[in-house]
């Protein structure tokens, strides 16, 4: 049960498949170079190309922003309730990269719910 634990580790493949099924639940995504925020007029798209996981934000058909995750750099994904928004039940998914001995957060996603509660009514739009 992911929601019962803090800092639960999941594989990137499992997270990516789940994320692609829940594009309306993304509130924010980012890395050191960028932060992408959700808006009621935006929609999120997730794709893969040549070893890269690609996150795109669109306004209608117009691309607004893009974030690229180098799959070869990903170690795992840490899932936990967002400490800053714990009262709202928001979940932070941190994509870890680097050496296994010294991993660091390379990319992150703030979601309206946990992976476990994906089929329950969310607090925000779904």
């Amino acid at each position: 049960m992911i929601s019962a634990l803090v800092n639960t580790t999941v594989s990137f493949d499992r997270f990516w498949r789940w994320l692609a099924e829940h594009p309306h639940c993304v509130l924010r995504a980012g890395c050191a170079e960028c932060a992408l925020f959700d808006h009621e007029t935006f929609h999120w798209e997730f794709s893969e190309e040549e070893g890269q996981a690609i996150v795109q934000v669109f306004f209608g058909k117009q691309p607004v922003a893009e974030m690229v995750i180098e799959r070869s750099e990903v170690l795992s994904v840490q899932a936990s309730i967002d400490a800053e928004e714990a009262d709202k039940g928001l979940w932070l998914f941190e994509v870890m990269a680097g050496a296994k001995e010294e991993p660091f957060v390379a990319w992150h996603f703030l979601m309206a719910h946990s992976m476990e509660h994906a089929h329950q009514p969310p607090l925000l739009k779904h």
Side-chain angles (χ1 to χ4, degrees):
M1 292 178 56
I2 292 175
S3 67
L5 302 172
V6 175
N7 292 330
T8 299
T9 302
V10 297
S11 72
F12 182 75
D13 288 335
R14 179 178 174 208
F15 170 71
W16 188 252
R17 283 190 307 272
W18 173 77
L19 182 65
E21 294 173 0
H22 296 270
H24 300 296
C25 305
V26 179
L27 303 175
R28 182 182 73 230
C31 61
E33 293 82 24
C34 70
L36 314 177
F37 293 89
D38 191 35
H39 186 274
E40 64 186 31
T41 61
F42 292 167
H43 67 272
W44 299 80
E45 289 191 16
F46 306 95
S47 61
E48 294 187 59
E49 187 176 300
E50 299 178 13
Q52 298 175 326
I54 302 168
V55 179
Q56 294 176 304
V57 178
F58 287 86
F59 174 72
K61 293 183 179 184
Q62 183 69 35
V64 175
E66 178 178 87
M67 181 174 74
V68 177
I69 298 172
E70 294 293 338
R71 291 181 69 93
S72 63
E73 296 178 14
V74 174
L75 297 174
S76 63
V77 178
Q78 294 288 320
S80 62
I81 292 177
D82 183 44
E84 295 178 17
E85 304 269 5
D87 59 324
K88 295 180 183 175
L90 304 182
W91 275 73
L92 183 61
F93 292 85
E94 298 176 311
V95 181
M96 307 303 289
K100 289 183 181 182
E101 302 79 32
E102 294 184 33
F104 61 90
V105 177
W107 301 273
H108 73 273
F109 295 84
L110 183 64
M111 303 292 293
H113 56 76
S114 69
M115 290 175 78
E116 177 184 281
H117 293 105
H119 300 293
Q120 294 180 3
L123 297 175
L124 303 172
K125 71 177 184 174
H126 193 282

